[in-house]
Amino acid sequence: MADAITTEIIRHGLLAAAEEVARNLCRTAYNTVVYEIHDYGIGIHDALGDVVADAPGIAVFTRGNDAGIKHSMEFLGVDTMEPGDIFILNFPYWSSAHTLDPLVFAPIHVDDVLIGFASCRVHITDLNQKDPGYVLDSTDRSQEGLMLPASKLYRRGERNDDVFNIIRFNSRMPKHTIGDIQAQVSACVTGVRRTQEIAARYGVDTLTEAMRTINDHGEKLARLGLAKLPKGTWSAIDFVDDDGINKDDLVKLQCTVTVTDEEMVVDWTGSAENVEGPINLPPGQTEALSSLIFKALTTPDTPVVAGNFAPLRVVTVPGSVMHAVSPMPTFTLWTGLLAGEVILKALAQGMPELVPACSGGDVCSMMGLGTNPRTGEPWQEATNEAVGFGGTAVHDGEDGIMHLSEPGCRNNPVEVLEAKSSMIIDHYGYRTDTGGAGRHRGGVGVSRSYRFTAPATGICLVYKTKTDPWSIGGGGEGQPNRVVLNPGTSREVVQGGSYNRLDAGDVLVNQTGGGGGYGHPFDRDPSAVARDVRNGFVSSQSARQDYGVVVTAEFGIDHAATAAIRGS
């Protein structure tokens, strides 16, 4: 039997296994998006496919892994999953992501009895989608690359070359694509082996009972967290810039959140339907992003387990932007990165003391690809940029940090980007005055300039540029994201999501947004405003205009002038 102490030892053993899976993945992956940025989702799951341990990466991946495994079990039948099998799934409507985020998973058997699964999802470079790098304007799933419906990469431990050859011949960068998939395989094998070792030490019955207890306890903690939340119903609307096809049309995201004693319901009814471009979300990702916000409110201090989400119910309309059905295009999944803050916008009406104002609101990715003139080899590199976080009831928003949809991720170092590509980073730093003014100000965004030394393609994945990050309680809105092509020249173009063919000497500047402010700016401590001016987060002009604080050239405070402006 799994007593409390044994269960806790097993829980930590499973968490250690998941972390080892992540380390193995990062040691063997070919793609810097994986080993530098940590664009992965890793889980150890029970026999039902429910996660019991994960390693932090992209938060929405782990719950998507649950959905993908369960769809595969239903599609193939559990009896077809044999010891030594390893599967790959990237059919978006089942896998909960686009085609370049394949889920690789392996059943875990002990004495031919299925006791769980190990999973690993990463972003890979190419599967013959219609455009190299990323697809921004597909209108049908057939344009989005090779799709694999829970296919066996390995059968009882033997490599299935039929599937590997199909993948190899459907990739522009087969070395990198196969290398990353094999890294996923190696990672899953590690998860299987470590879980089997735990079973051998404590017994299968004890391990499976401990897994049930882990998720039962996760549910109890979630219900305790739910009980502390204010009860009510609140709605909010926000927008994605466009769908990649109809560039002038905002795409509506509507969310109604209801909190009761028994559950939180996140209802996406009212969101845009019949969206032509590829920003539609597989339903598993909509559930995953909703789960991220729910967990942040109820069980933020404990690792993810499936039980944490038992009190959460997500409602979607099939055929809408929040519930893609085949053959709707799904490649540009930015809706899933922006939508979490629509939930927060609704909750801010009923529990403003518990949620932050809007962040810069986007992951603000820049991807470059071309042929490296130093090596003659093709290259493809990407990075996400940091944004400012929204102010809260108790502190300022963080300056220049990864968006809340990717809390386990990093950006790609300058040295890596320059060494592996034909890009030079001309400048990289904070954007003054981008955080919304407030008693607690919004964090500021960043600016990074990419100069291309050879012809290349620059793909900008930025889909919150047309609406400002919202504030709470009288704070100021943050400044939005924007991308500037060839700034200060006759060819300057300000844009958002875009696919750019570039010549040597062209420059792309990725400028990320700041968070919204919290509370009236005149309630901010003048010394904090002076400190912000000294540190370059706020200009002296903004200090005077937005905060009513006159900061001297020596970064002191002109108290008389400040009192006259503030009326005190």
Side-chain angles (χ1 to χ4, degrees):
M1 297 295 291
D3 58 81
I5 294 175
T6 302
T7 297
E8 189 68 357
I9 293 171
I10 289 173
R11 184 175 75 87
H12 281 275
L14 294 170
L15 286 168
E19 287 290 349
E20 186 177 350
V21 170
R23 300 288 74 76
N24 191 338
L25 175 70
C26 290
R27 283 195 299 270
T28 56
Y30 279 54
N31 187 352
T32 60
V33 168
V34 178
Y35 65 78
E36 291 287 356
I37 294 178
H38 293 181
D39 191 329
Y40 56 67
I42 286 164
I44 305 294
H45 309 253
D46 64 18
L48 298 176
D50 289 322
V51 65
V52 293
D54 83 329
I58 291 187
V60 297
F61 274 2
T62 303
R63 288 234 73 203
N65 290 6
D66 281 19
I69 291 171
K70 291 181 178 185
H71 276 292
S72 299
M73 293 168 70
E74 181 180 356
F75 176 60
L76 297 173
V78 177
D79 292 343
T80 68
M81 297 181 173
E82 301 179 285
D85 286 352
I86 301 176
F87 297 85
I88 184 170
L89 168 69
N90 77 332
F91 186 59
Y93 320 99
W94 296 353
S95 72
S96 308
H98 66 188
T99 52
L100 291 192
D101 291 339
L103 169 64
V104 173
F105 67 94
I108 304 171
H109 291 84
V110 176
D111 297 330
D112 289 332
V113 176
L114 178 68
I115 64 169
F117 296 88
S119 71
C120 177
R121 185 193 303 271
V122 306
H123 178 83
I124 62 176
T125 51
D126 194 279
L127 279 176
N128 210 28
Q129 67 281 3
K130 78 179 187 70
D131 300 316
Y134 226 86
V135 177
L136 306 186
D137 60 354
S138 52
T139 56
D140 185 275
R141 79 178 201 196
S142 63
Q143 301 168 338
E144 298 184 341
L146 177 68
M147 296 191 183
L148 298 159
S151 306
K152 288 190 179 184
L153 290 168
Y154 283 76
R155 295 180 183 274
R156 297 192 67 87
E158 296 295 324
R159 177 180 164 123
N160 183 1
D161 282 326
D162 291 343
V163 173
F164 275 101
N165 285 334
I166 289 171
I167 293 171
R168 181 177 291 108
F169 280 83
N170 280 275
S171 177
R172 298 174 180 88
M173 302 181 73
K175 177 182 176 181
H176 290 80
T177 298
I178 295 294
D180 285 334
I181 290 173
Q182 285 286 42
Q184 291 178 266
V185 168
S186 177
C188 287
V189 168
T190 299
V192 170
R193 183 183 301 124
R194 292 294 179 253
T195 306
Q196 288 173 333
E197 290 171 357
I198 294 172
R201 181 171 184 179
Y202 295 100
V204 170
D205 291 343
T206 299
L207 172 58
T208 54
E209 183 182 345
M211 287 177 168
R212 285 194 297 271
T213 301
I214 289 167
N215 268 322
D216 288 345
H217 183 63
E219 178 178 348
K220 291 175 183 176
L221 291 176
R223 293 195 180 280
L224 287 172
L226 178 67
K228 299 175 183 178
L229 297 180
K231 306 304 186 285
T233 298
W234 311 278
S235 295
I237 294 173
D238 215 328
F239 299 90
V240 182
D241 281 354
D242 60 74
D243 68 355
I245 304 291
N246 306 288
K247 302 291 286 184
D248 296 327
D249 297 338
L250 294 170
V251 180
K252 184 174 73 168
L253 307 180
Q254 181 168 325
C255 179
T256 299
V257 183
T258 299
V259 181
T260 71
D261 292 332
E262 300 299 323
E263 64 180 355
M264 176 184 285
V265 182
V266 179
D267 187 347
W268 293 98
T269 302
S271 297
E273 299 186 36
N274 303 312
V275 174
E276 185 178 6
I279 65 167
N280 301 290
L281 289 189
Q285 185 160 130
T286 301
E287 184 167 349
L289 72 89
S290 303
S291 298
L292 171 63
I293 303 302
F294 180 76
K295 181 161 180 62
L297 289 168
T298 55
T299 56
D301 299 322
T302 60
V304 169
V305 297
N308 291 153
F309 311 108
L312 172 67
R313 181 160 57 93
V314 180
V315 179
T316 56
V317 177
S320 71
V321 70
M322 304 304 290
H323 187 139
V325 296
S326 182
M328 292 171 66
T330 62
F331 203 98
T332 311
L333 294 170
W334 252 240
T335 307
L337 306 178
L338 310 186
E341 289 185 287
V342 187
I343 303 175
L344 293 176
K345 189 176 184 181
L347 292 173
Q349 300 170 48
M351 50 187 85
E353 72 286 355
L354 297 180
V355 301
C358 188
S359 77
D362 203 318
V363 175
C364 300
S365 289
M366 208 295 292
M367 176 182 291
L369 56 100
T371 300
N372 194 323
R374 299 190 299 273
T375 65
E377 295 291 323
W379 65 271
Q380 180 175 312
E381 295 296 332
T383 189
N384 301 334
E385 299 292 6
V387 296
F389 268 36
T392 78
V394 294
H395 59 71
D396 293 345
E398 291 289 339
D399 302 298
I401 192 170
M402 287 293 103
H403 185 252
L404 58 86
S405 63
E406 300 191 353
C409 294
R410 312 180 299 193
N411 58 17
N412 221 335
V414 169
E415 297 82 359
V416 171
L417 292 173
E418 293 187 338
K420 292 180 173 289
S421 74
S422 58
M423 298 186 294
I424 299 295
I425 309 304
D426 284 337
H427 77 249
Y428 187 24
Y430 288 126
R431 291 181 69 200
T432 302
D433 288 342
T434 50
R439 175 164 53 89
H440 295 131
R441 69 166 173 82
V444 299
V446 303
S447 177
R448 178 155 29 180
S449 176
Y450 301 81
R451 176 166 49 88
F452 292 81
T453 62
T457 298
I459 305 172
C460 301
L461 296 158
V462 186
Y463 283 84
K464 188 175 176 61
T465 68
K466 299 176 182 177
T467 54
D468 294 337
W470 45 268
S471 60
I472 296 177
E477 294 179 328
Q479 291 295 308
N481 310 285
R482 67 178 200 158
V483 177
V484 186
L485 175 62
N486 293 317
T489 73
S490 61
R491 297 178 295 125
E492 177 176 306
V493 178
V494 179
Q495 58 189 9
S498 54
Y499 201 98
N500 301 282
R501 306 289 187 180
L502 305 172
D503 294 324
D506 280 344
V507 174
L508 270 176
V509 183
N510 198 357
Q511 298 181 338
T512 74
Y518 190 107
H520 197 283
F522 278 23
D523 292 334
R524 186 167 179 78
D525 184 347
S527 64
V529 177
R531 182 174 63 248
D532 288 338
V533 173
R534 182 175 66 246
N535 290 333
F537 297 133
V538 174
S539 67
S540 57
Q541 293 84 358
S542 175
R544 184 185 188 106
Q545 178 178 325
D546 298 324
Y547 291 94
V549 177
V550 179
V551 179
T552 69
E554 295 77 25
F555 305 113
I557 300 169
D558 185 329
H559 291 283
T562 297
I565 296 172
R566 287 190 165 188
S568 61

mmCIF file with all atom_site columns, all heavy atoms in Angstrom, residues 41 68 157 230 239 255 270 277 341 365 427 434 456 535 557:
data_model
loop_
_atom_site.group_PDB
_atom_site.id
_atom_site.type_symbol
_atom_site.label_atom_id
_atom_site.label_alt_id
_atom_site.label_comp_id
_atom_site.label_asym_id
_atom_site.label_entity_id
_atom_site.label_seq_id
_atom_site.pdbx_PDB_ins_code
_atom_site.Cartn_x
_atom_site.Cartn_y
_atom_site.Cartn_z
_atom_site.occupancy
_atom_site.B_iso_or_equiv
_atom_site.pdbx_formal_charge
_atom_site.auth_seq_id
_atom_site.auth_comp_id
_atom_site.auth_asym_id
_atom_site.auth_atom_id
_atom_site.pdbx_PDB_model_num
ATOM 1  N N   . GLY A 1 41  ? 7.353   20.471 -23.971 1.00 0.00 ? 41  GLY A N   1
ATOM 2  C CA  . GLY A 1 41  ? 6.414   20.061 -22.934 1.00 0.00 ? 41  GLY A CA  1
ATOM 3  C C   . GLY A 1 41  ? 6.673   18.599 -22.610 1.00 0.00 ? 41  GLY A C   1
ATOM 4  O O   . GLY A 1 41  ? 6.682   17.745 -23.512 1.00 0.00 ? 41  GLY A O   1
ATOM 5  N N   . GLY A 1 68  ? -3.495  14.681 -26.322 1.00 0.00 ? 68  GLY A N   1
ATOM 6  C CA  . GLY A 1 68  ? -2.971  13.909 -27.436 1.00 0.00 ? 68  GLY A CA  1
ATOM 7  C C   . GLY A 1 68  ? -2.879  12.427 -27.138 1.00 0.00 ? 68  GLY A C   1
ATOM 8  O O   . GLY A 1 68  ? -3.217  11.575 -27.983 1.00 0.00 ? 68  GLY A O   1
ATOM 9  N N   . GLY A 1 157 ? 10.515  -1.656 -29.631 1.00 0.00 ? 157 GLY A N   1
ATOM 10 C CA  . GLY A 1 157 ? 11.929  -1.305 -29.512 1.00 0.00 ? 157 GLY A CA  1
ATOM 11 C C   . GLY A 1 157 ? 12.688  -1.260 -30.813 1.00 0.00 ? 157 GLY A C   1
ATOM 12 O O   . GLY A 1 157 ? 13.866  -0.856 -30.828 1.00 0.00 ? 157 GLY A O   1
ATOM 13 N N   . PRO A 1 230 ? -13.357 35.000 -5.103  1.00 0.00 ? 230 PRO A N   1
ATOM 14 C CA  . PRO A 1 230 ? -14.679 35.628 -5.169  1.00 0.00 ? 230 PRO A CA  1
ATOM 15 C C   . PRO A 1 230 ? -15.568 34.891 -6.174  1.00 0.00 ? 230 PRO A C   1
ATOM 16 O O   . PRO A 1 230 ? -15.083 34.350 -7.172  1.00 0.00 ? 230 PRO A O   1
ATOM 17 C CB  . PRO A 1 230 ? -14.365 37.053 -5.645  1.00 0.00 ? 230 PRO A CB  1
ATOM 18 C CG  . PRO A 1 230 ? -12.938 37.278 -5.266  1.00 0.00 ? 230 PRO A CG  1
ATOM 19 C CD  . PRO A 1 230 ? -12.270 35.944 -5.403  1.00 0.00 ? 230 PRO A CD  1
ATOM 20 N N   . PHE A 1 239 ? -8.755  41.244 -28.729 1.00 0.00 ? 239 PHE A N   1
ATOM 21 C CA  . PHE A 1 239 ? -8.631  40.982 -30.161 1.00 0.00 ? 239 PHE A CA  1
ATOM 22 C C   . PHE A 1 239 ? -7.234  40.510 -30.529 1.00 0.00 ? 239 PHE A C   1
ATOM 23 O O   . PHE A 1 239 ? -6.234  40.964 -29.963 1.00 0.00 ? 239 PHE A O   1
ATOM 24 C CB  . PHE A 1 239 ? -8.952  42.247 -30.961 1.00 0.00 ? 239 PHE A CB  1
ATOM 25 C CG  . PHE A 1 239 ? -10.346 42.757 -30.746 1.00 0.00 ? 239 PHE A CG  1
ATOM 26 C CD1 . PHE A 1 239 ? -10.626 43.673 -29.738 1.00 0.00 ? 239 PHE A CD1 1
ATOM 27 C CD2 . PHE A 1 239 ? -11.392 42.301 -31.533 1.00 0.00 ? 239 PHE A CD2 1
ATOM 28 C CE1 . PHE A 1 239 ? -11.903 44.139 -29.522 1.00 0.00 ? 239 PHE A CE1 1
ATOM 29 C CE2 . PHE A 1 239 ? -12.683 42.763 -31.324 1.00 0.00 ? 239 PHE A CE2 1
ATOM 30 C CZ  . PHE A 1 239 ? -12.943 43.677 -30.323 1.00 0.00 ? 239 PHE A CZ  1
ATOM 31 N N   . CYS A 1 255 ? -14.713 36.009 -23.756 1.00 0.00 ? 255 CYS A N   1
ATOM 32 C CA  . CYS A 1 255 ? -14.638 35.031 -22.669 1.00 0.00 ? 255 CYS A CA  1
ATOM 33 C C   . CYS A 1 255 ? -15.568 35.446 -21.532 1.00 0.00 ? 255 CYS A C   1
ATOM 34 O O   . CYS A 1 255 ? -15.575 36.611 -21.121 1.00 0.00 ? 255 CYS A O   1
ATOM 35 C CB  . CYS A 1 255 ? -13.199 34.947 -22.156 1.00 0.00 ? 255 CYS A CB  1
ATOM 36 S SG  . CYS A 1 255 ? -12.964 33.795 -20.803 1.00 0.00 ? 255 CYS A SG  1
ATOM 37 N N   . GLY A 1 270 ? -19.118 33.305 -28.302 1.00 0.00 ? 270 GLY A N   1
ATOM 38 C CA  . GLY A 1 270 ? -19.080 34.687 -28.749 1.00 0.00 ? 270 GLY A CA  1
ATOM 39 C C   . GLY A 1 270 ? -17.791 35.049 -29.452 1.00 0.00 ? 270 GLY A C   1
ATOM 40 O O   . GLY A 1 270 ? -17.689 36.103 -30.085 1.00 0.00 ? 270 GLY A O   1
ATOM 41 N N   . GLY A 1 277 ? -7.986  32.441 -41.759 1.00 0.00 ? 277 GLY A N   1
ATOM 42 C CA  . GLY A 1 277 ? -6.554  32.190 -41.626 1.00 0.00 ? 277 GLY A CA  1
ATOM 43 C C   . GLY A 1 277 ? -6.207  31.219 -40.509 1.00 0.00 ? 277 GLY A C   1
ATOM 44 O O   . GLY A 1 277 ? -7.082  30.742 -39.776 1.00 0.00 ? 277 GLY A O   1
ATOM 45 N N   . GLU A 1 341 ? -4.877  36.198 -21.340 1.00 0.00 ? 341 GLU A N   1
ATOM 46 C CA  . GLU A 1 341 ? -5.102  37.500 -20.715 1.00 0.00 ? 341 GLU A CA  1
ATOM 47 C C   . GLU A 1 341 ? -6.516  38.024 -20.941 1.00 0.00 ? 341 GLU A C   1
ATOM 48 O O   . GLU A 1 341 ? -6.929  38.971 -20.278 1.00 0.00 ? 341 GLU A O   1
ATOM 49 C CB  . GLU A 1 341 ? -4.031  38.486 -21.189 1.00 0.00 ? 341 GLU A CB  1
ATOM 50 C CG  . GLU A 1 341 ? -2.692  38.111 -20.564 1.00 0.00 ? 341 GLU A CG  1
ATOM 51 C CD  . GLU A 1 341 ? -1.580  39.087 -20.864 1.00 0.00 ? 341 GLU A CD  1
ATOM 52 O OE1 . GLU A 1 341 ? -1.097  39.113 -22.008 1.00 0.00 ? 341 GLU A OE1 1
ATOM 53 O OE2 . GLU A 1 341 ? -1.176  39.806 -19.931 1.00 0.00 ? 341 GLU A OE2 1
ATOM 54 N N   . SER A 1 365 ? 7.760   36.712 -31.298 1.00 0.00 ? 365 SER A N   1
ATOM 55 C CA  . SER A 1 365 ? 8.840   35.900 -31.866 1.00 0.00 ? 365 SER A CA  1
ATOM 56 C C   . SER A 1 365 ? 9.367   36.512 -33.159 1.00 0.00 ? 365 SER A C   1
ATOM 57 O O   . SER A 1 365 ? 8.624   37.102 -33.939 1.00 0.00 ? 365 SER A O   1
ATOM 58 C CB  . SER A 1 365 ? 8.334   34.485 -32.168 1.00 0.00 ? 365 SER A CB  1
ATOM 59 O OG  . SER A 1 365 ? 8.119   33.768 -30.982 1.00 0.00 ? 365 SER A OG  1
ATOM 60 N N   . HIS A 1 427 ? 21.408  46.310 -31.528 1.00 0.00 ? 427 HIS A N   1
ATOM 61 C CA  . HIS A 1 427 ? 21.141  46.814 -30.184 1.00 0.00 ? 427 HIS A CA  1
ATOM 62 C C   . HIS A 1 427 ? 20.088  45.944 -29.514 1.00 0.00 ? 427 HIS A C   1
ATOM 63 O O   . HIS A 1 427 ? 19.313  45.258 -30.181 1.00 0.00 ? 427 HIS A O   1
ATOM 64 C CB  . HIS A 1 427 ? 20.702  48.292 -30.203 1.00 0.00 ? 427 HIS A CB  1
ATOM 65 C CG  . HIS A 1 427 ? 19.278  48.518 -30.627 1.00 0.00 ? 427 HIS A CG  1
ATOM 66 N ND1 . HIS A 1 427 ? 18.939  49.110 -31.809 1.00 0.00 ? 427 HIS A ND1 1
ATOM 67 C CD2 . HIS A 1 427 ? 18.079  48.237 -30.018 1.00 0.00 ? 427 HIS A CD2 1
ATOM 68 C CE1 . HIS A 1 427 ? 17.625  49.182 -31.920 1.00 0.00 ? 427 HIS A CE1 1
ATOM 69 N NE2 . HIS A 1 427 ? 17.076  48.660 -30.849 1.00 0.00 ? 427 HIS A NE2 1
ATOM 70 N N   . THR A 1 434 ? 7.207   52.479 -22.001 1.00 0.00 ? 434 THR A N   1
ATOM 71 C CA  . THR A 1 434 ? 6.250   51.518 -22.571 1.00 0.00 ? 434 THR A CA  1
ATOM 72 C C   . THR A 1 434 ? 5.331   50.919 -21.518 1.00 0.00 ? 434 THR A C   1
ATOM 73 O O   . THR A 1 434 ? 4.246   50.434 -21.845 1.00 0.00 ? 434 THR A O   1
ATOM 74 C CB  . THR A 1 434 ? 6.979   50.388 -23.318 1.00 0.00 ? 434 THR A CB  1
ATOM 75 O OG1 . THR A 1 434 ? 8.003   49.840 -22.475 1.00 0.00 ? 434 THR A OG1 1
ATOM 76 C CG2 . THR A 1 434 ? 7.600   50.900 -24.600 1.00 0.00 ? 434 THR A CG2 1
ATOM 77 N N   . ALA A 1 456 ? 17.919  36.742 -46.828 1.00 0.00 ? 456 ALA A N   1
ATOM 78 C CA  . ALA A 1 456 ? 17.305  35.832 -45.866 1.00 0.00 ? 456 ALA A CA  1
ATOM 79 C C   . ALA A 1 456 ? 15.811  36.111 -45.799 1.00 0.00 ? 456 ALA A C   1
ATOM 80 O O   . ALA A 1 456 ? 15.292  37.024 -46.456 1.00 0.00 ? 456 ALA A O   1
ATOM 81 C CB  . ALA A 1 456 ? 17.932  36.011 -44.475 1.00 0.00 ? 456 ALA A CB  1
ATOM 82 N N   . ASN A 1 535 ? 16.713  55.056 -13.803 1.00 0.00 ? 535 ASN A N   1
ATOM 83 C CA  . ASN A 1 535 ? 17.003  53.753 -14.407 1.00 0.00 ? 535 ASN A CA  1
ATOM 84 C C   . ASN A 1 535 ? 16.588  53.658 -15.872 1.00 0.00 ? 535 ASN A C   1
ATOM 85 O O   . ASN A 1 535 ? 16.864  52.644 -16.522 1.00 0.00 ? 535 ASN A O   1
ATOM 86 C CB  . ASN A 1 535 ? 16.305  52.643 -13.622 1.00 0.00 ? 535 ASN A CB  1
ATOM 87 C CG  . ASN A 1 535 ? 16.921  52.417 -12.262 1.00 0.00 ? 535 ASN A CG  1
ATOM 88 O OD1 . ASN A 1 535 ? 18.107  52.686 -12.065 1.00 0.00 ? 535 ASN A OD1 1
ATOM 89 N ND2 . ASN A 1 535 ? 16.128  51.932 -11.314 1.00 0.00 ? 535 ASN A ND2 1
ATOM 90 N N   . ILE A 1 557 ? 13.790  65.253 -6.580  1.00 0.00 ? 557 ILE A N   1
ATOM 91 C CA  . ILE A 1 557 ? 12.381  65.599 -6.768  1.00 0.00 ? 557 ILE A CA  1
ATOM 92 C C   . ILE A 1 557 ? 12.187  67.069 -6.420  1.00 0.00 ? 557 ILE A C   1
ATOM 93 O O   . ILE A 1 557 ? 12.613  67.538 -5.356  1.00 0.00 ? 557 ILE A O   1
ATOM 94 C CB  . ILE A 1 557 ? 11.480  64.723 -5.867  1.00 0.00 ? 557 ILE A CB  1
ATOM 95 C CG1 . ILE A 1 557 ? 11.672  63.243 -6.200  1.00 0.00 ? 557 ILE A CG1 1
ATOM 96 C CG2 . ILE A 1 557 ? 10.016  65.117 -6.030  1.00 0.00 ? 557 ILE A CG2 1
ATOM 97 C CD1 . ILE A 1 557 ? 11.036  62.317 -5.185  1.00 0.00 ? 557 ILE A CD1 1
#
